[in-house]
Amino acid sequence: MQTNLSQTQLLFREAMSVCAAGVHVITTDGATGRFGITMTAVSSVTDEPPTLMLCVNRQAQIYPILQANGVLCVNVLSSQQIDVAEHFAGLTKLTPEARFEQHIWHRGKNGQLQVDGALAHLHGKIVANHEVGTHGVFYVQIDEIALNPHIDNALVYFRRTFGTFER
């Protein structure tokens, strides 16, 4: 854990922990390799063209891989996928490559990996990015969407714990 955090930083982190958020696993596969990461900092920007925004810590191992590969899949996790979230958040002792071996994956039209059982898969290309403080903001134009109509319950993150939102 980082030290020397200001009181404002600590309060900001605590305030953000009470903002319930959907849980996503971002996957990318390309010339610089395959990698995945669990994220909550994912948001829609516009539906014309369909665009998402991802905020990724610049120190994260996936950061340069995303920049170089330029394509990704946003897997919106269901309530049954806590293990997927934990693996890709690095909460288990699995290597980044071994994380992919624990689950069933399919490839979308653009070749990106989507995990079986997710609520939705949004495939796209990074069209812009910039840096703000410790993070990079990636804008992803979505070109393929797959929804799973058979699953209703979402995985959420609240007060630094995974939980379920049931419809």
Side-chain angles (χ1 to χ4, degrees):
M1 186 171 183
Q2 293 181 347
T3 57
N4 301 324
L5 296 176
S6 72
Q7 184 66 19
T8 301
Q9 287 173 298
L10 292 170
L11 288 171
F12 181 78
R13 287 181 179 195
E14 194 60 32
M16 293 300 96
S17 80
V18 298
C19 295
V23 181
H24 314 83
V25 166
I26 311 306
T27 56
T28 185
D29 194 6
T32 57
R34 176 171 74 168
F35 205 85
I37 188 171
T38 301
M39 291 183 57
T40 56
V42 175
S43 182
S44 62
V45 175
T46 179
D47 68 351
E48 185 53 40
T51 305
L52 294 175
M53 177 180 67
L54 313 176
C55 299
V56 182
N57 190 304
R58 293 191 327 237
Q59 299 301 312
Q61 193 173 350
I62 197 172
Y63 190 79
I65 300 170
L66 278 175
Q67 286 182 309
N69 286 348
V71 290
L72 56 86
C73 178
V74 175
N75 297 276
V76 182
L77 299 186
S78 73
S79 62
Q80 301 300 309
Q81 295 180 302
I82 292 175
D83 60 335
V84 178
E86 289 174 340
H87 292 321
F88 285 89
L91 299 177
T92 60
K93 302 230 185 270
L94 295 172
T95 66
E97 198 58 39
R99 296 170 189 169
F100 285 98
E101 297 168 9
Q102 306 303 308
H103 312 285
I104 298 170
W105 298 88
H106 306 282
R107 290 200 183 265
K109 293 175 190 167
N110 69 359
Q112 296 308 297
L113 290 164
Q114 56 186 41
V115 66
D116 192 54
L119 292 168
H121 310 285
L122 298 106
H123 297 263
K125 178 181 179 186
I126 297 170
V127 294
N129 70 295
H130 66 273
E131 296 178 353
V132 177
T134 58
H135 283 60
V137 180
F138 293 92
Y139 297 92
V140 182
Q141 189 169 327
I142 303 302
D143 56 25
E144 178 185 354
I145 301 170
L147 300 173
N148 189 339
H150 306 293
I151 301 174
D152 282 335
N153 300 333
L155 185 61
V156 295
Y157 195 65
F158 177 72
R159 291 196 189 268
R160 297 176 183 88
T161 302
F162 294 113
T164 300
F165 175 80
E166 296 184 18
R167 197 170 94 150

